[in-house]
């Protein structure tokens, strides 16, 4: 049923930041420019209002504006899978239905954060969300942020019971867990890495691609990890994996997207503002970010 879109949703799905202007309003023009730059640079798809897009710093209306802008700007050139999840069930339903109405290709729905639901409650939440729409759902499992892990057996139940749950973004350092996802959900289930250092390794076990914050800095290179792998040029993919490691490391020495926005500001892409309670990284880390960008020839 979803074979065509599942094929299109492979590769580097870039999780784009939400830029703010000097008045701390969403900078729509800068946002459109970023989307066009990603598409021109070879990103295979676009995701917005995920962790990197600071959804908890946005109002519902702003999230809807960002989603709609992304879909209209991409204009079918690449698939768009906005983040529609929240800690609030009704809000998740509203945003996921809105994504469908706007023409999104899929929705990325995070495991609810802070309230730590049990596995049956997680099943009920995702089952109702999936049943409320006809578009594909990609579940987003990020236990380091949500304080709860979506267990493989729960995910497998959802994949079996909900035909439109087609994949999962695993920001999960437990590599045994991600192996068991494909074992239990099927090899055609779309498995994405949300951990930068696992982008290549997940491809090696049958992953569909990655949703990596680093794509905001070097979209072509992050896309090329997948391109090389898909072309059978494994050594080139491995070389690129190791080449990007220092950049990946520095971007996660403080809470994402703080270092990322700082780097993008240094590169002239955006005003690097974050809304409270988020804030810029310490000065020492900002200096390290600058040195790293210089070392890559980006500055």
């Amino acid at each position: 049923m979803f074979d065509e879109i599942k094929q299109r949703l492979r590769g580097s799905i870039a999780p784009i930041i939400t830029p703010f202007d000097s008045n701390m309003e969403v900078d729509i023009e800068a946002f459109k420019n970023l989307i066009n730059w990603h598409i021109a640079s070879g990103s295979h798809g676009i995701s917005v209002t995920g962790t990197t897009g600071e959804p908890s710093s946005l109002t519902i209306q702003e999230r809807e504006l960002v989603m709609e802008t992304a879909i209209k700007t991409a204009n079918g050139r690449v698939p768009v899978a906005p983040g529609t999840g929240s800690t609030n069930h009704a809000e998740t339903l509203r945003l996921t239905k809105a994504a469908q109405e706007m023409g999104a290709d899929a929705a990325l729905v995070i495991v609810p954060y802070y309230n730590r639901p049990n596995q049956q409650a997680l099943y009920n939440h995702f089952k109702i969300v999936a049943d409320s729409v006809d578009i594909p759902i990609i579940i987003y499992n990020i236990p380091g942020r949500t304080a709860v892990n979506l267990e493989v057996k729960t995910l497998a139940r959802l994949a079996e019971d909900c035909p439109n749950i087609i994949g999962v973004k695993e920001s999960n350092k437990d590599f045994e867990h991600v192996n068991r996802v494909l074992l239990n959900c099927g090899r055609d289930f779309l498995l994405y890495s949300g951990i930068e250092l696992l982008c290549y390794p997940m491809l090696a076990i049958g992953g569909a691609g990655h949703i990596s914050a680093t794509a905001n800095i070097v979209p072509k290179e992050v896309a090329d990890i997948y391109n090389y792998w898909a072309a059978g040029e494994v050594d080139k993919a491995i070389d690129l994996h190791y080449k990007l490691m220092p950049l990946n490391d520095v971007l996660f020495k403080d809470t994402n997207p703080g270092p990322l926005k700082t780097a993008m500001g240094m590169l002239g892409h955006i005003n690097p503002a974050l809304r409270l309670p988020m804030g810029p990284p310490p000065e020492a880390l900002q200096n390290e970010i600058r040195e790293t960008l210089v070392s890559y020839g980006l500055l």
Side-chain angles (χ1 to χ4, degrees):
M1 180 178 178
F2 296 105
D3 289 347
E4 182 179 349
I5 187 58
K6 286 176 73 172
Q7 198 58 41
R8 289 187 70 214
L9 282 167
R10 293 180 175 272
S12 174
I13 313 298
I16 298 181
I17 59 100
T18 303
F20 301 121
D21 61 23
S22 58
N23 296 317
M24 298 305 289
E25 299 295 328
V26 177
D27 190 335
I28 291 297
E29 289 307 309
F31 182 63
K32 290 178 181 178
N33 289 339
L34 289 174
I35 291 172
N36 288 323
W37 176 61
H38 272 278
I39 294 172
S41 299
S43 292
H44 303 101
I46 297 296
S47 185
V48 297
T49 61
T51 302
T52 304
E54 294 175 82
S56 58
S57 296
L58 304 174
T59 66
I60 294 179
Q61 291 77 17
E62 286 174 327
R63 289 186 67 171
E64 290 174 338
L65 172 63
V66 168
M67 292 183 344
E68 185 173 27
T69 301
I71 293 164
K72 287 183 176 179
T73 304
N75 195 28
R77 290 177 291 169
V78 297
V80 179
T84 61
S86 165
T87 192
N88 181 288
H89 178 71
E91 190 174 293
T92 300
L93 282 170
R94 169 177 167 171
L95 289 168
T96 306
K97 291 176 181 178
Q100 174 170 281
E101 292 167 3
M102 293 170 187
D105 296 279
L108 180 70
V109 185
I110 195 169
V111 169
Y113 38 91
Y114 179 74
N115 43 28
R116 299 179 67 188
N118 62 37
Q119 295 299 306
Q120 183 59 47
L122 286 172
Y123 173 89
N124 294 341
H125 170 71
F126 284 113
K127 177 73 163 59
I128 290 170
V129 172
D131 287 347
S132 74
V133 293
D134 297 320
I135 59 173
I137 300 293
I138 300 166
I139 292 176
Y140 180 12
N141 189 32
I142 178 168
R145 290 261 190 162
T146 62
V148 64
N149 184 44
L150 182 68
E151 295 177 3
V152 172
K153 63 182 180 180
T154 307
L155 181 60
R157 283 180 65 201
L158 286 163
E160 181 176 357
D161 295 345
C162 306
N164 62 329
I165 293 181
I166 64 167
V168 63
K169 174 185 177 181
E170 284 284 357
S171 292
N172 198 325
K173 294 183 178 180
D174 183 347
F175 204 61
E176 180 178 342
H177 171 101
V178 297
N179 276 267
R180 295 189 184 282
V181 166
L182 292 183
L183 176 67
N184 287 273
C185 296
R187 297 276 292 279
D188 62 341
F189 196 68
L190 300 183
L191 172 67
Y192 302 93
S193 175
I195 299 287
E196 276 59 29
L197 267 61
L198 294 184
C199 289
Y200 170 75
M202 280 205 201
L203 292 175
I205 64 168
H210 32 266
I211 305 175
S212 166
T214 306
N216 284 276
I217 304 295
V218 284
K220 180 183 184 301
E221 288 78 0
V222 172
D224 276 346
I225 292 177
Y226 177 84
N227 292 335
Y228 286 138
W229 172 259
E233 298 182 87
V234 176
D235 288 345
K236 289 184 178 179
I238 294 173
D239 288 345
L240 197 46
H241 165 75
Y242 285 108
K243 179 181 177 180
L244 292 179
M245 281 181 65
L247 180 59
N248 290 329
D249 287 345
V250 79
L251 292 177
F252 286 87
K253 288 192 173 183
D254 198 7
T255 305
N256 183 47
L260 177 58
K261 277 194 160 182
T262 295
M264 293 179 73
M266 291 174 180
L267 295 172
H269 290 307
I270 60 164
N271 170 34
L274 298 107
R275 285 179 176 172
L276 291 170
M278 296 294 289
E283 185 176 352
L285 179 53
Q286 292 189 40
N287 292 334
E288 187 177 351
I289 291 168
R290 183 178 295 278
E291 291 169 2
T292 302
L293 295 176
V294 170
S295 74
Y296 278 85
L298 296 171
L299 271 181

